[in-house]
Amino acid sequence: MLDARARLLREARGWLWVILAFLFIQGTLVQARVIPSESMIKTLLVGDHVLVSRFGYDAEVPFSHLLFGHDLHATLWRTPRRQQMIVFHAPLPQQGNPDFVKRVIGLPGDTLEIRGGAVWINGKPLTEPYLADTPDPWENRKPITVPADSFFVMGDNRNNSYDSRYWGFVPRSAIVGTPLFIYLSLDAPSEAWQPGHIRERLGAYAMALVHPDHIRWRRLFVPF
C-alpha cells in the first residue's frame, strides 16, 4: 500500500514538473498563433500557423486570469526593429480577438507621413518590398511623431488592414513577441480561424487529414 502511494506521489510530481515547464515555455518563450485575416497578405496567409517567440519581449504570469480576472504581463528588455513583424494585444477591445499581427513601420521619435500611399520616415521614402499590392495613390496623411515607448504598425496588405492609421500607436507594453516561422498552413474557409469557431477549426484539421492537398506544403517552415 505504501509503495503504491509512493509511486502515485512520484507520478504526480513528475506531471507537475511537466505542467510547470509547459506554462513557463508558453508564458515566456514561444506561443502558437493562427492567422485569421488577410491584413498581412502576401507575407502571411489566412490559415498560416506561426510559432511566435516571446523571448525578451513579454512574460505572462500563469493563472493570473483566474486569480485577478485578467492576464498579468511583465515587459522585458527587447524592442522590435523597423519592418519587423510583431504580435501584440489589440489596442481596442476586440471580443474574442485579443492579438494582432502587423509590421513595425514607425519607431519611437520618428516623424511619419503618407504621400500618395507611400510611407515617408523622417523625410525619406520607405522601401517596402513585402507589400501585397500597390498602395492607394489617393491616401495622404499629415506628418505625425511616434511617442516614446510606442510604435506605428501597418499591415502588408495595405489596402485591407485595420492598423495604426485608424486606432493609433502600439505601446511597448502591449507587444507579445515576433513570428519565427510557419509550422502549418491550411487552405480552409476563414471562419475556421476566427476566435470561438471550434467546430469549424476541427473540421479544417480533419479535412486536411483526409485531403492532404489542403495543406500548403511549400509554406511549411518558412522563416521570417
Side-chain angles (χ1 to χ4, degrees):
M1 181 67 178
L2 291 177
D3 290 342
R5 182 177 298 177
R7 287 196 299 269
L8 182 61
L9 287 174
R10 285 197 299 268
E11 187 74 15
R13 290 194 195 100
W15 278 108
L16 177 61
W17 283 112
V18 169
I19 292 171
L20 291 175
F22 172 80
L23 291 174
F24 173 78
I25 293 171
Q26 175 80 359
T28 62
L29 298 181
V30 294
Q31 281 188 346
R33 291 288 193 277
V34 182
I35 305 303
S37 74
E38 299 179 347
S39 69
M40 288 300 292
I41 291 176
K42 57 186 175 179
T43 308
L44 293 171
L45 304 181
V46 175
D48 280 351
H49 293 52
V50 298
L51 198 66
V52 176
S53 171
R54 300 185 70 161
F55 180 71
Y57 287 99
D58 178 77
E60 180 180 326
V61 180
F63 307 114
S64 56
H65 181 79
L66 298 177
L67 296 174
F68 304 101
H70 59 88
D71 293 327
L72 295 182
H73 295 262
T75 300
L76 303 181
W77 65 90
R78 297 182 70 180
T79 56
R81 307 181 307 274
R82 190 188 318 282
Q83 298 184 313
Q84 180 180 4
M85 288 189 295
I86 59 171
V87 177
F88 57 96
H89 300 303
L92 300 174
Q94 302 288 327
Q95 183 176 1
N97 187 19
D99 293 337
F100 283 175
V101 181
K102 304 292 180 185
R103 192 178 297 272
V104 173
I105 301 298
L107 301 175
D110 281 344
T111 297
L112 182 148
E113 62 180 308
I114 297 179
R115 306 178 188 174
V119 175
W120 288 64
I121 302 290
N122 301 324
K124 297 180 180 180
L126 182 66
T127 301
E128 299 189 272
Y130 41 75
L131 292 183
D133 202 353
T134 304
D136 180 2
W138 297 102
E139 182 178 13
N140 295 283
R141 296 179 184 267
K142 296 179 180 180
I144 57 173
T145 300
V146 182
D149 295 321
S150 299
F151 300 86
F152 191 95
V153 301
M154 301 174 75
D156 291 357
N157 190 5
R158 197 58 49 84
N159 299 327
N160 187 22
S161 176
Y162 184 54
D163 52 40
S164 287
R165 292 171 292 175
Y166 305 101
W167 40 253
F169 306 102
V170 176
R172 171 62 187 85
S173 59
I175 297 176
V176 174
T178 181
L180 292 175
F181 61 86
I182 299 170
Y183 67 89
L184 179 64
S185 182
L186 297 183
D187 185 5
S190 59
E191 291 79 10
W193 316 120
Q194 297 300 322
H197 291 210
I198 303 300
R199 181 180 300 177
E200 291 84 353
R201 184 169 299 194
L202 292 176
Y205 292 137
M207 189 63 68
L209 290 175
V210 178
H211 300 284
D213 57 313
H214 287 204
I215 300 175
R216 305 183 187 109
W217 295 100
R218 292 186 178 181
R219 296 188 61 79
L220 268 59
F221 305 111
V222 171
F224 303 111

